[in-house]
Every structure is written in C-alpha cells, then in structure tokens.
Amino acid sequence: MTSGDGAPQPYESAVDRAVREAAERGAFDDLPGRGKPLPHLEDTSEDWWLRGYLDREGISRELLLPPSVQLRKELDRLPATLDALRTEAEVRAHVREVNRRVVEHLRFPSGPRVPVHRVDVDEAVAGWAARRAPATPEPPGTADAPADPPRRRWWPWRRR
C-alpha cells in the first residue's frame, strides 16, 4: 500500500484499524483499572493464571494434588473433621467412607507412594466422644474437705 505521496504505509488489519479508531473516539478512556498495574506481574511463575483462577473461584489448591497425597492430608485432618459432626452415627459413617477410600487406594495405588492406613472406627468414635465431653467440674466441697486421719497400724497393738 502506498499513500497519496507515494510513501509505503505499513499493513493494518481490520481489527487493528477498528481498535485504532475506537481509541481515537475515546472509547477506552473510562475503563475500570485504567492506569493501574496488571495484578499478576509480581508473580513470575508459569502457572500464575491457574492460581489466580483458583483463588477467584474459591477452589482449594489441594484438588491439584495427586489422590494419594489428598487422602493422606484428609487422614491427618480427620480428628478436626470428626469434631464438626454431631452424632456418633455420622462419625461412624464418615470413618467408614474414609476407610473405603483407603482400601480402594491400597488396591489400586496412583500417584506418589504415601503411607496411608485404615482408621479404627471404635478408636475414632472414642476420641470424638472424649473431645466432645465437657470437662467435669470438681464436686463442691471436695477441695476443702480435710484428708482422712492417718490410720493406726495394727502391729503395735500386738506387741503389748
């Protein structure tokens, strides 16, 4: 392409021309964030966009971990998870479900080898009940009561 004076002009696509004309009209002057830095420039890792997406959508980053690591983390957090449950039946059902997934992982392992083990249902329920039980206060008057008098031995009486 050449202009009217014969000097060659660079090629401008239809999209480039539409953007240039919109900028000349002032269509981009009132955009939100104008003049502010781009948010991901301080993060130089190659998956900055993925972390930003997960944070925006409220998705846990643990979903990106291999299944064996996810299972191990769940086993580590099991007491806190059980504390949120209300009944013993719910606790037993949750522990059975975790044990089912542990057995499935042991049969068909995937991902890195991470030590996982089944949880004893009765021990988990006992721990849950112990953590839920309120601390029993000391009965009134027991701290102030005098100790029993020392007992007299029987053998000094025998010598007489």
Side-chain angles (χ1 to χ4, degrees):
M1 281 185 128
T2 59
S3 63
D5 61 356
Q9 286 188 333
Y11 173 75
E12 183 178 39
S13 70
V15 173
D16 291 334
R17 185 176 63 243
V19 169
R20 181 181 50 78
E21 290 172 355
E24 289 171 357
R25 285 192 313 267
F28 302 130
D29 291 345
D30 60 348
L31 291 177
R34 181 174 185 227
K36 296 179 184 174
L38 295 174
H40 67 275
L41 291 181
E42 63 272 355
D43 191 359
T44 58
S45 63
E46 60 188 38
D47 59 349
W48 61 267
W49 61 273
L50 180 60
R51 278 193 255 127
Y53 175 77
L54 293 175
D55 292 341
R56 275 192 316 273
E57 297 298 321
I59 301 171
S60 172
R61 292 183 186 178
E62 287 187 15
L63 294 176
L64 302 177
L65 295 174
S68 59
V69 177
Q70 287 179 9
L71 189 59
R72 179 60 193 198
K73 284 181 149 261
E74 184 173 354
L75 286 171
D76 290 341
R77 286 190 308 257
L78 188 62
T81 304
L82 295 180
D83 288 346
L85 301 177
R86 293 183 178 208
T87 64
E88 182 179 336
E90 290 176 351
V91 171
R92 287 184 182 277
H94 185 76
V95 172
R96 282 190 198 111
E97 173 61 24
V98 169
N99 282 340
R100 184 195 61 78
R101 292 200 339 256
V102 166
V103 169
E104 182 180 329
H105 171 72
L106 292 174
R107 287 183 184 159
F108 308 106
S110 64
R113 297 189 70 112
V114 177
V116 294
H117 60 283
R118 293 181 57 196
V119 178
D120 184 14
V121 177
D122 294 328
E123 284 182 18
V125 169
W128 170 80
R131 288 187 302 272
R132 279 183 70 94
T136 55
E138 202 172 287
T142 57
D144 300 333
D148 290 337
R151 296 176 72 189
R152 295 189 70 167
R153 307 248 182 223
W154 64 269
W155 55 270
W157 297 95
R158 188 170 180 225
R159 289 190 186 173
R160 291 187 194 164

